[in-house]
Amino acid sequence: MSSGATTLETEVLIIGGGVTGAGIMRDLALRGIHSLLIDKRDLCAGASGGNHGLLHSGGRYVSTDPAAAMECRQENALLKRLAPQCIETAGGLFVAVEGDDPAFAGQFPALCRNAGIDCEELSPGEARRLEPVLSEKLFKACRVPDATIDPFHLALLNVDHARLLNGSVYRPHTEVLRFEMADGEIRAAICHDHLHNRPLTIRARQFVNAGGAWAMNVARLAACADVHLLYAKGTILVSSDRLAHHVVNRLRPPGDGDILVPGGTVSLLGTTSTRVDDLENVSPTAEEIDRNIREAAAMIPMLAGARYIRAFSRVRPLLQAAGNASDRAASRGFALLDHATQGVGNFCTITGGKLTTFRLMAEKTADLVARRLGNGEACTTAAVPLPDDEACSWTEPGTALKHWHRDSDPDDMILCECEMLPQSAIEQVFAGSPGIEQARTLEAVALRTRAGKGPCQGSFCGIRITSWLYDQGCYRDATGLAHMRDFFDERFKGQRSVVWGQQAAQMELAEALHCGLLGLDSLEDDE
């Protein structure tokens, strides 16, 4: 690999490729401001890609954070209109069962009305007709306008639109190591390009820290000590089937195992909240899995015996709560810090918030950056719909199957049978999906499609796609085998805490295939 240094220039450097960073990139492009977005891994590698995909109505926060609840309600309505291609309007139910507090359940409709959230009270019978899987011990139910959203599709479309508008650039696998500073400003970000194993210098007029859980670390690189976050690890399970039509929430103060979110052909169950300090090494534990299932089975009994194909954990960045309050009490709102008190004039940090409020967070950040640049253009993301691009649509469940039925080309080889993903889908991703031009790897393909998301968790498609990438010349040495092993390792990290029943048999088959046949367990790291 080349070790030569490269220098890039842009108006704004955005650090962090979650949905907020992607949203800022698009907002700035709509104002005519060129930006460069970087992430040390790839899009949605942190909390943006490790959540349950809920587009909040705000109902979840009416008792703990009314301001955040109102923000969620407003952004929920906006996004349904502006980005319908990323959203399923499933609707949501809040249900109380025997053992829950009747007083809290009774206050819920009024709390929703105070936040402007539509809330329809249902009889237990009406709720169970809508969702037959609900417990017979149900005593109160309310319907709210919850929905589900695909964060990967959303981020890809935001970056893609920015790129088309003014040539703004996204670079994955680019990590900030330090800042060059002079006269109270950042002059350049000194980075490492992990793809090419070489240094990279990025010069800009403004620098935006959208690093999510890593935002405090990035701020420290600029000697800014005014970012104070809590780190809360959340663990979520993924079922092999779609178990409900609606988002189902437990009608009680937020806790573990209190929400089931349908996502295409699967459902996501969560979530725990455990304080952590290590941002890099988080994995689901058997105890967290048991706790989620035990709590959730009280509202949906069938969850106790459902098949779970994997679990995952991510770290939420939370604004610090006062005193010794629990992480559940920490604000779900967001904060924009201009770092003026830290003596840095061209750096800001956006932190906290929710996936649902990403557009609003991007708007407030872009307002500040544009003002500093002397750009008087107003934000238009609340009015301009997010354009579609088929190359960014392959993360959506069912897209590949519709494509297959529509074209029915016998020469279009299926590479992932669980999700019916054909090779033509990857060809489209290669032709236009943001960031793929930097690295045509198995990991990059899996992030931009449904590959590896089905019941076999990539056991077969990981091999097929890697072979196809070799055929296309994307891999020429043992790097592809190492990437395939790393891909399986990552999938196994999510499976080992749910290996029982049918999933145990699936794991036995995967082990025989990957270790007994391919010998990936003995592959040397330096090959």
Side-chain angles (χ1 to χ4, degrees):
M1 293 293 184
S2 171
S3 59
T6 302
T7 298
L8 301 175
E9 294 191 4
T10 182
E11 287 186 275
V12 182
L13 174 64
I14 306 164
I15 303 162
V19 290
T20 302
I24 294 168
M25 186 185 191
R26 176 180 182 243
D27 192 311
L28 291 173
L30 284 165
R31 304 177 198 230
I33 299 171
H34 186 275
S35 68
L36 200 161
L37 172 67
I38 63 173
D39 194 278
K40 67 179 181 179
R41 291 180 60 191
D42 207 335
L43 291 173
C44 297
S48 290
N51 56 70
H52 38 43
L54 174 64
L55 184 66
H56 285 270
S57 63
R60 193 164 172 82
Y61 301 125
V62 291
S63 66
T64 57
D65 197 338
M70 287 188 279
E71 286 177 351
C72 286
R73 183 256 302 168
Q74 293 164 350
E75 292 301 305
N76 173 298
L78 268 178
L79 291 174
K80 285 176 179 175
R81 178 167 55 84
L82 299 171
Q85 65 271 45
C86 303
I87 294 169
E88 181 186 348
T89 54
L93 298 175
F94 275 81
V95 299
V97 298
E98 185 179 296
D100 291 335
D101 181 5
F104 179 87
Q107 295 170 356
F108 183 76
L111 292 172
C112 285
R113 286 192 294 272
N114 291 341
I117 299 167
D118 291 336
C119 179
E120 177 188 2
E121 296 187 64
L122 304 173
S123 70
E126 289 172 327
R128 295 193 75 243
R129 279 191 290 275
L130 287 173
E131 285 294 351
V133 296
L134 290 173
S135 170
E136 294 182 356
K137 297 180 179 180
L138 174 73
F139 70 82
K140 189 172 183 63
C142 298
R143 181 156 56 181
V144 297
D146 282 337
T148 64
I149 188 164
D150 180 346
F152 297 96
H153 194 186
L154 185 67
L156 286 165
L157 286 179
N158 272 271
V159 172
D160 188 56
H161 194 203
R163 180 178 61 173
L164 294 174
L165 284 167
N166 70 347
S168 290
V169 176
Y170 167 58
R171 289 184 64 97
H173 304 286
T174 303
E175 181 177 5
V176 176
L177 303 179
R178 61 184 178 87
F179 292 118
E180 280 186 1
M181 306 188 68
D183 302 322
E185 289 192 341
I186 300 174
R187 297 299 170 86
I190 309 303
C191 307
H192 186 73
D193 178 347
H194 289 287
L195 285 176
H196 304 97
N197 191 28
R198 64 189 179 192
L200 173 67
T201 298
I202 303 174
R203 300 192 180 280
R205 295 173 62 191
Q206 291 289 322
F207 295 78
V208 176
N209 174 14
W214 288 264
M216 193 157 64
N217 296 352
V218 174
R220 296 296 188 270
L221 296 177
C224 293
D226 54 343
V227 180
H228 304 289
L229 299 177
L230 300 173
Y231 301 131
K233 169 193 168 187
T235 291
I236 294 174
L237 292 88
V238 183
S239 68
S240 64
D241 302 297
R242 183 174 175 129
L243 304 177
H245 304 293
H246 299 74
V247 177
V248 182
N249 303 264
R250 189 85 170 264
L251 186 44
R252 66 179 188 185
D256 296 338
D258 64 353
I259 184 168
L260 182 74
V261 181
T265 58
V266 302
S267 292
L268 294 93
L269 169 62
T271 172
T272 58
S273 184
T274 306
R275 184 77 61 87
V276 296
D277 296 316
D278 185 354
L279 298 180
E280 303 294 342
N281 300 295
V282 292
S283 298
T285 68
E287 191 277 330
E288 291 167 340
I289 301 304
D290 289 345
R291 194 181 342 140
N292 267 334
I293 295 174
R294 182 175 62 251
E295 292 291 331
M299 63 179 183
I300 302 178
M302 70 176 296
L303 292 175
R307 179 184 177 186
Y308 299 98
I309 57 176
R310 73 185 299 254
F312 59 86
S313 298
R314 293 293 189 275
V315 177
R316 311 179 191 96
L318 302 177
L319 303 176
Q320 285 196 7
N324 294 318
S326 73
D327 291 351
R328 299 282 186 189
S331 173
R332 260 45 176 188
F334 63 87
L336 174 62
L337 304 170
D338 63 12
H339 299 305
T341 60
Q342 306 297 298
V344 184
N346 66 338
F347 182 51
C348 65
T349 294
I350 182 71
T351 188
K354 301 290 297 178
L355 171 61
T356 302
T357 58
F358 90 96
R359 190 214 62 83
L360 179 62
M361 296 168 70
E363 175 184 343
K364 299 303 182 185
T365 306
D367 283 346
L368 172 61
V369 171
R371 187 166 62 249
R372 286 174 165 178
L373 291 172
N375 182 303
E377 294 292 325
C379 175
T380 58
T381 59
V384 178
L386 194 61
D388 239 335
D389 187 333
E390 193 170 15
C392 300
S393 69
W394 296 102
T395 63
E396 286 288 328
T399 297
L401 184 59
K402 287 185 287 187
H403 171 87
W404 176 254
H405 282 308
R406 183 188 68 200
D407 294 352
S408 192
D409 182 355
D411 295 323
D412 192 6
M413 181 172 58
I414 293 293
L415 298 178
C416 175
E417 292 180 345
C418 291
E419 298 290 337
M420 292 299 291
L421 183 75
Q423 66 183 48
S424 61
I426 303 178
E427 290 168 353
Q428 282 199 22
V429 167
F430 280 1
S433 187
I436 196 70
E437 69 279 358
Q438 299 288 333
R440 297 189 171 190
T441 64
L442 175 59
E443 178 189 19
V445 168
L447 184 143
R448 290 162 177 80
T449 68
R450 295 286 302 168
K453 308 299 193 301
C456 88
Q457 285 293 286
S459 297
F460 299 101
C461 69
I463 300 171
R464 291 197 190 103
I465 294 171
T466 302
S467 299
W468 186 83
L469 291 172
Y470 272 110
D471 290 341
Q472 301 303 306
C474 301
Y475 289 131
R476 298 182 183 275
D477 53 25
T479 300
L481 296 177
H483 284 182
M484 183 167 62
R485 179 201 58 193
D486 294 344
F487 173 76
F488 293 142
D489 281 348
E490 185 64 26
R491 305 316 289 178
F492 175 66
K493 186 171 76 172
Q495 293 180 79
R496 59 187 175 191
S497 56
V498 296
V499 176
W500 66 79
Q502 291 175 294
Q503 205 58 27
Q506 186 76 58
M507 283 299 302
E508 289 287 336
L509 175 60
E511 182 181 23
L513 185 62
H514 301 155
C515 300
L517 180 62
L518 298 178
L520 293 180
D521 54 334
S522 60
L523 184 68
E524 295 293 334
D525 288 332
D526 58 355
E527 285 189 345

